[in-house]
Amino acid sequence: LSNIQIILFMTSRIKRFAESNLHEALEVFRVVGVVGARQSGKSTLVRQLFKNDDAYITLDDKAQLEFAVEDPNGFVSSLRMPTIIDEIQRAPELAMAIKSKVDVDYTVGRLVITGSTNIAQDSRFNDSLAGRMGIVKLYPFSQAEIHSGIGDFLENAINNRFDKQSVRLDQLDIAKMLTTGGFPEAIAKNSSRARDLWFESYLSLVMDRDIKELFHVRKIDAIRGLLHLLAINCSKELSLNELAMKTNLSRATVAEYLSVLKRIFFIDLIPPLHNNEIKQIIKSPKIQLLDTGLICSLRGISEQKLLSDRRELGFIFENFVGSELIKLASHSKRRHLKLFHFRDAKQREVDFIISDANNINIGFEVKASMTPSRVMAKNLEFLIDKGVISHGYIIHSGDQLISLSQNVKA
């Protein structure tokens, strides 16, 4: 086997934290939808459920797609349950046929569908399968998955019980981590050149197969240009006016394209925290790309560039932390975890705030510095004093765990 084959095999054996969410959903719902960006590992995850290859159908297969679109009832009737339908977003015509099928037999866990777009936001699926379908989100690998961790960072953070550092990384390790990202095939590439070629091919596939075909976006260069601009502005607050001006698109078109990029799991928008105790809170969401490897590829940023440009490292490192928090929150046993950011008119800013259903809020400030200091904690302590958060953390690039105050650790 080649080195690439060996690495791909190894990444396929990495335990996904979403697996427990999937098994839980299979015990509750007749249909389970696994959604996430293309190449994030959905097919690998769901195919482990049913060992029989006959139980797997992909709509990337032209013949199967034509059958599904032209005769959805016949297609669904031909299925031998339990089964998996991969890339279901390519045939929304199947939604009503699936509804009819599962309304005859209420047995749970009989049909798994995967989507490279968020089918939960597609009215054709959402309306037809409401109450029948559970959704499991799968993101590219988190660092906890890559390093065979147990994914308990958020639980430890909420309970304020960190007592040791779990992984020690030097600055080069961090730069490699940021430029690689979490897509399994990007991780498998053994050079930055090979990784860039993969990202370029991957972007072309998504633009042509998903954005052009499914969302009927005609100006592919325009939406790709917007994505590049978002990569430049990662971790910054969103301004539709500024994006419209820089892309020569209307505000309405920019908003439409942002919705498409969210639907394919390329970006997210972190909402601002609202609190009656603090006046003049800035209400703009913050731009969050869901993979730093994609950011670096779009912008041509190398490991050496990150190591030499601390400002650039800071923005991408902050985006990385946001992505990791989103991934960890998606499989947490604490329900309804939400991610916010905070900034007020006096420029007091906290990068991320995690809030749970019990209104427990904790804050995270992200610093690329290797040497955390008490002054870095001032905005966290401001929110603690106001009763907005209970405690907070400085996420930094150093290798020490430090208590900066009674309620702030680094």
Side-chain angles (χ1 to χ4, degrees), residues 186-206:
I187 293 171
K189 303 308 177 189
N190 58 4
S191 71
S192 58
R193 172 63 177 164
R195 196 160 52 245
D196 286 341
L197 289 173
W198 180 83
F199 271 116
E200 181 62 32
S201 174
Y202 173 73
L203 277 170
S204 296
L205 172 68
V206 172

Side-chain angles (χ1 to χ4, degrees), residues 30-298:
R30 286 169 269 173
V31 181
V32 175
V34 180
V35 298
R38 276 190 179 272
Q39 303 294 317
S40 57
K42 301 184 300 296
S43 301
T44 300
L45 175 63
V46 299
R47 293 191 76 170
Q48 294 173 359
L49 296 172
F50 312 128
K51 302 302 182 183
N52 183 1
D53 287 342
D54 292 337
Y56 173 82
I57 296 169
T58 176
L59 297 185
D60 277 341
D61 181 279
K62 184 178 179 180
Q64 294 287 3
L65 179 61
E66 289 179 354
F67 183 14
V69 170
E70 294 172 5
D71 184 10
N73 288 316
F75 178 91
V76 172
S77 295
S78 71
L79 299 177
R80 296 169 57 188
M81 300 293 186
T83 197
I84 299 162
I85 305 175
D86 206 359
E87 302 297 351
I88 191 76
Q89 78 281 349
R90 304 198 71 197
E93 297 85 353
L94 291 175
M96 284 300 298
I98 291 172
K99 174 183 180 295
S100 299
K101 177 85 168 180
V102 300
D103 279 354
V104 173
D105 185 342
Y106 279 59
T107 305
V108 298
R110 299 175 67 235
L111 179 61
V112 176
I113 59 179
T114 78
S116 294
T117 67
N118 194 347
I119 56 176
Q121 295 178 349
D122 187 324
S123 59
R124 293 166 294 187
F125 287 100
N126 204 20
D127 294 348
S128 300
L129 298 177
R132 302 166 179 84
M133 178 174 67
I135 293 292
V136 175
K137 290 183 179 179
L138 186 71
Y139 294 99
F141 286 129
S142 68
Q143 291 302 305
E145 288 171 323
I146 292 171
H147 294 285
S148 302
I150 59 176
D152 60 350
F153 175 84
L154 277 182
E155 191 65 26
N156 287 337
I158 291 170
N159 292 317
N160 201 10
R161 64 183 183 203
F162 288 109
D163 57 3
K164 63 180 180 179
Q165 181 181 351
S166 57
V167 177
R168 178 162 293 180
L169 301 172
D170 61 26
Q171 293 293 288
L172 181 58
D173 289 330
I174 291 172
K176 286 181 178 179
M177 180 174 68
L178 297 181
T179 55
T180 300
F183 283 101
E185 286 203 49
I187 293 171
K189 303 308 177 189
N190 58 4
S191 71
S192 58
R193 172 63 177 164
R195 196 160 52 245
D196 286 341
L197 289 173
W198 180 83
F199 271 116
E200 181 62 32
S201 174
Y202 173 73
L203 277 170
S204 296
L205 172 68
V206 172
M207 292 289 164
D208 290 337
R209 183 165 292 182
D210 294 332
I211 292 179
K212 185 186 290 186
E213 289 185 10
L214 301 179
F215 295 100
H216 310 295
V217 173
R218 292 176 298 172
K219 297 180 179 178
I220 294 299
D221 288 343
I223 195 169
R224 186 157 183 164
L226 176 62
L227 179 61
H228 184 266
L229 189 57
L230 293 170
I232 292 173
N233 288 279
C234 69
S235 304
K236 300 175 184 176
E237 287 168 15
L238 173 72
S239 169
L240 284 178
N241 287 335
E242 183 179 344
L243 292 175
M245 180 182 67
K246 290 185 176 180
T247 56
N248 291 319
L249 299 170
S250 68
R251 276 175 53 97
T253 300
V254 169
E256 176 191 346
Y257 287 178
L258 288 173
S259 176
V260 169
L261 293 171
K262 285 184 67 177
R263 290 273 300 276
I264 63 171
F265 299 96
F266 271 18
I267 70 165
D268 205 346
L269 298 176
I270 309 298
L273 180 75
H274 296 287
N275 188 280
N276 294 331
E277 298 298 319
I278 303 175
K279 307 301 181 184
Q280 296 182 303
I281 293 178
I282 303 300
K283 298 180 179 179
S284 299
K286 189 162 68 172
I287 299 167
Q288 176 74 43
L289 273 73
L290 292 174
D291 188 75
T292 56
L294 180 60
I295 293 174
C296 293
S297 178
L298 283 165

